[in-house]
Amino acid sequence: MTIKKDKFKELYIETQSFVRASVFWLAPTLDRDQLDDIVQETYLKSWRNFDQFKGSSHFKTWIYAIGKNTTIDYLKKNSPKNFIVFDDTETTRNEDLEMLDLIDKGIMSLEIKLREVFILFYKLELSIKEIQEVLSLKEGTVKSRLHSARKEFENFLNSQEIEEGVEL
Amino acid sequence: MNDNNLRTLLKNHSKSVPQASPYEWQKINQRIDELESRSSILDLIKHPILTRLTLAFTLTAVILFSSQNFGSRNQENLEEYLFSDSYFESIEENQTYAWID
């Protein structure tokens, strides 16, 4: 048990900032306590299934999937309003957008599939190969989503520049 | 806008991720310990030998209880029979037959 826990602690230290940032960027309207809850729950879930974890798949990949599912479940249970953030058919509600600044609004305006790739690549600075592993996608799909996300993000910023005269 | 420019823009302009508490690991560790102690009790309940022993004990108890009940019911029936008219009648009948023989 001690060896297992020591190994788990090592992996926690290695991945906690990544997990925290990815949860935060999946749902930036969460407050700090909610973020803490989700991160802790993510590690507890991964501990429960730690025996099933095979070293062949990278821990980061595995825990990202757990973190993402935990975030979605949390939002479904605790805040149905925020769940819309994960709805592929819509972007984000206006009242949520009001809380964020222009760049964050641009990120939140992306649909979840695009936002996920965009955040992993530009905010968390993962390589295309790592994103492929984390999301279990083909290289071509990652690249095409990234291309669409960048285009939509730039279009959003350009439209805001024209509307509000914002300089970036 | 190239990738590096976009990364710089995102770093400089968007809000930062709230930092984790320095005690976060302790909290997780504590919850893991609670989880483990709960699951060890559950494991004990699920333990095959213990389950068999519990089952054997329950079966023995059921058998003993029902046989005791069955025995006492027989005793009651016997007592009832010994003090009933039919018992005396049968004795009389037997005596009659003995006399005929």
Side-chain angles (χ1 to χ4, degrees), chain A residues 13 20 26 51 61 67 73 78 84 88 95 103-104 114 119 129 132 137-138 146 150 158 164 166-167:
Chain A
I13 293 166
R20 196 172 182 80
L26 283 169
D51 291 333
T61 314
D73 289 345
N78 298 290
I84 208 147
D88 283 353
E95 61 244 51
I103 303 292
D104 297 326
L114 301 183
I119 289 162
K129 199 173 181 319
Q132 258 179 267
L137 293 173
K138 288 179 182 165
L146 198 56
R150 187 165 48 212
N158 289 335
E164 296 172 20
V166 179
E167 275 189 39

Side-chain angles (χ1 to χ4, degrees), chain A residues 6-55:
Chain A
D6 286 347
K7 177 74 189 153
F8 190 74
K9 187 181 178 182
E10 239 174 69
L11 291 167
Y12 162 80
I13 293 166
E14 210 177 282
T15 55
Q16 65 89 18
S17 62
F18 167 76
V19 169
R20 196 172 182 80
S22 53
V23 169
F24 177 77
W25 284 108
L26 283 169
T29 50
L30 294 174
D31 64 31
R32 194 198 167 115
D33 288 342
Q34 290 172 316
L35 183 63
D36 288 345
D37 284 349
I38 295 173
V39 172
Q40 283 180 32
E41 200 53 44
T42 300
Y43 280 98
L44 277 180
K45 278 184 187 169
S46 67
W47 170 263
R48 273 188 214 120
N49 300 296
F50 195 51
D51 291 333
Q52 291 164 23
F53 169 69
K54 294 186 178 87

Side-chain angles (χ1 to χ4, degrees), chain A residues 1 5 9 12 16 20 24-25 28 32 35 39-41 44 47-48 100-101 103-104 118 121-123 125 150 153-154, chain B residues 1-4 6-7 9-11 13-21 24-25 27-29 31-33 35-36 38:
Chain A
M1 163 99 166
K5 206 190 261 180
K9 187 181 178 182
Y12 162 80
Q16 65 89 18
R20 196 172 182 80
F24 177 77
W25 284 108
R32 194 198 167 115
L35 183 63
V39 172
Q40 283 180 32
E41 200 53 44
L44 277 180
W47 170 263
R48 273 188 214 120
L100 307 168
D101 71 18
I103 303 292
D104 297 326
F118 188 83
F121 189 74
Y122 289 111
K123 294 286 301 177
E125 305 194 356
R150 187 165 48 212
F153 182 75
E154 283 175 356
Chain B
M1 204 184 298
N2 68 28
D3 286 347
N4 286 337
L6 197 47
R7 276 189 177 143
L9 179 77
L10 290 171
K11 252 185 201 161
H13 284 78
S14 64
K15 64 180 185 178
S16 53
V17 180
Q19 287 300 298
S21 140
E24 186 170 73
W25 170 251
K27 283 182 195 167
I28 293 171
N29 193 25
R31 287 183 68 187
I32 286 174
D33 288 343
L35 202 72
E36 288 301 306
R38 264 206 307 274

Side-chain angles (χ1 to χ4, degrees), chain A:
Chain A
M1 163 99 166
T2 322
I3 297 167
K4 185 180 162 190
K5 206 190 261 180
D6 286 347
K7 177 74 189 153
F8 190 74
K9 187 181 178 182
E10 239 174 69
L11 291 167
Y12 162 80
I13 293 166
E14 210 177 282
T15 55
Q16 65 89 18
S17 62
F18 167 76
V19 169
R20 196 172 182 80
S22 53
V23 169
F24 177 77
W25 284 108
L26 283 169
T29 50
L30 294 174
D31 64 31
R32 194 198 167 115
D33 288 342
Q34 290 172 316
L35 183 63
D36 288 345
D37 284 349
I38 295 173
V39 172
Q40 283 180 32
E41 200 53 44
T42 300
Y43 280 98
L44 277 180
K45 278 184 187 169
S46 67
W47 170 263
R48 273 188 214 120
N49 300 296
F50 195 51
D51 291 333
Q52 291 164 23
F53 169 69
K54 294 186 178 87
S56 54
S57 65
H58 199 276
F59 187 74
K60 208 178 195 179
T61 314
W62 191 60
I63 198 136
Y64 175 80
I66 297 174
K68 182 182 163 184
N69 292 332
T70 310
T71 310
I72 293 171
D73 289 345
Y74 186 93
L75 293 177
K76 270 184 192 170
K77 274 185 207 157
N78 298 290
S79 173
K81 180 184 80 115
N82 283 335
F83 182 67
I84 208 147
V85 171
F86 292 94
D87 191 340
D88 283 353
T89 57
E90 294 184 52
T91 53
T92 314
R93 285 164 65 127
N94 285 337
E95 61 244 51
D96 290 334
L97 282 177
E98 293 298 320
M99 296 162 64
L100 307 168
D101 71 18
L102 188 62
I103 303 292
D104 297 326
K105 283 179 191 174
I107 295 172
M108 292 303 292
S109 72
L110 301 172
E111 66 173 290
I112 186 69
K113 279 192 286 189
L114 301 183
R115 192 192 316 159
E116 200 172 32
V117 175
F118 188 83
I119 289 162
L120 289 172
F121 189 74
Y122 289 111
K123 294 286 301 177
L124 305 176
E125 305 194 356
L126 262 64
S127 67
I128 300 280
K129 199 173 181 319
E130 283 175 313
I131 299 173
Q132 258 179 267
E133 283 175 17
V134 165
L135 301 178
S136 308
L137 293 173
K138 288 179 182 165
E139 188 184 346
T141 314
V142 174
K143 282 183 177 171
S144 99
R145 284 189 189 177
L146 198 56
H147 176 76
S148 308
R150 187 165 48 212
K151 209 171 161 188
E152 276 190 29
F153 182 75
E154 283 175 356
N155 286 343
F156 176 85
L157 292 189
N158 289 335
S159 69
Q160 295 299 305
E161 242 181 305
I162 294 163
E163 258 178 44
E164 296 172 20
V166 179
E167 275 189 39
L168 296 168

